[in-house]
Amino acid sequence: MYTDRSPKPEELQHILDMADLRLKVIVSMLALGGFRIGTLTKLQYRHVKQDLEKLVTPIHIHVEAEITKGKYHDYDTFIGQEAAEYLRSYLKKKRARGLLRFSEKEA
């Protein structure tokens, strides 16, 4: 039997309340999008670009088999309003500081 478990909603909220913006993006996408850490680290702007730029919520994310554990098949998931707002805020902050490694037009 595994001792690992998903956090309870109040535990997740406590983590989000204490987290900086970057960690809020990571935690909310893991929890609400159902990603594994390895898959989340391989996501690129192109995975969220269309819905993010059109301000569509929830944001649809198509995950190719090549970036998943086992590489068995593609899947689709969504991130809701809370995770989308964190992501938009984070990207806006990075863009304002000139810290993004790519432009939206290249992605």
Side-chain angles (χ1 to χ4, degrees):
M1 179 176 261
Y2 293 105
T3 57
D4 293 338
R5 64 173 178 81
S6 297
K8 296 177 183 175
E10 57 273 7
E11 293 169 330
L12 185 59
Q13 189 58 54
H14 181 69
I15 292 168
L16 291 171
D17 290 343
M18 295 179 16
D20 65 2
L21 185 55
R22 179 179 176 271
L23 188 55
K24 286 180 183 187
V25 172
I26 293 167
V27 169
S28 64
M29 289 187 70
L30 289 171
L32 305 174
F35 299 104
R36 292 177 177 270
I37 293 170
T39 302
L40 180 63
T41 63
K42 294 175 186 171
L43 289 179
Q44 297 176 358
Y45 185 76
R46 66 180 175 82
H47 288 100
V48 296
K49 180 181 179 181
Q50 184 175 357
D51 287 349
L52 194 70
E53 290 180 1
K54 290 182 180 179
L55 303 177
V56 172
T57 304
I59 294 175
H60 170 254
I61 303 172
H62 177 77
V63 181
E64 300 88 1
E66 295 77 34
I67 67 170
T68 64
K69 180 180 178 182
K71 302 179 175 143
Y72 296 118
H73 57 82
D74 296 2
Y75 70 91
D76 294 282
T77 189
F78 297 86
I79 57 171
Q81 175 113 17
E82 187 174 19
E85 287 175 9
Y86 292 144
L87 181 59
R88 284 186 182 104
S89 295
Y90 179 74
L91 292 174
K92 182 178 179 181
K93 180 179 173 182
K94 294 299 238 183
R95 193 177 305 118
R97 292 183 176 177
L99 299 175
L100 289 180
R101 294 185 302 192
F102 58 87
S103 72
E104 288 82 358
K105 294 178 181 171
E106 294 172 0

